[in-house]
Amino acid sequence: MFESTYIYLIDSLNNDNAKILKKALETVPGVKNVVVSPLKGLVEIKAKSDITDSLKLACSVAKVKLRTKVDPRKL
């Protein structure tokens, strides 16, 4: 099975909680790569399947809020 890229807009993202969010997401099974951009408020995840539920949990750990999923073709 191949990986897809999922991009999400995250509220209250800064350098400190971005590290926590990235570390939490890297523990999720099926996640191959995580790129967190605090200045843009975006997180880009390469994974085998949609991990929105796991992302919500990781956001609560990092004390940030998941706003929405972003269509990569519209960036």
Side-chain angles (χ1 to χ4, degrees):
M1 191 172 198
F2 62 93
E3 291 100 31
S4 297
T5 300
Y6 301 94
I7 300 175
Y8 299 90
L9 184 61
I10 308 292
D11 288 339
S12 306
L13 197 58
N14 61 39
N15 287 331
D16 295 329
N17 57 27
K19 293 174 191 171
I20 297 168
L21 182 62
K22 181 174 179 160
K23 189 169 244 180
L25 288 169
E26 288 173 340
T27 66
V28 176
V31 171
K32 297 297 179 193
N33 189 29
V34 178
V35 177
V36 182
S37 302
L39 291 175
K40 296 177 182 176
L42 294 175
V43 61
E44 181 178 326
I45 304 164
K46 287 195 189 277
K48 290 183 178 181
S49 62
D50 190 355
I51 54 117
T52 303
D53 292 336
S54 298
L55 176 61
K56 288 177 185 176
L57 181 61
C59 284
S60 68
V61 168
K63 296 183 173 68
V64 295
K65 187 173 187 301
L66 170 62
R67 180 177 292 215
T68 188
K69 188 173 183 179
V70 177
D71 185 351
R73 294 171 288 180
K74 294 187 178 178
L75 287 179

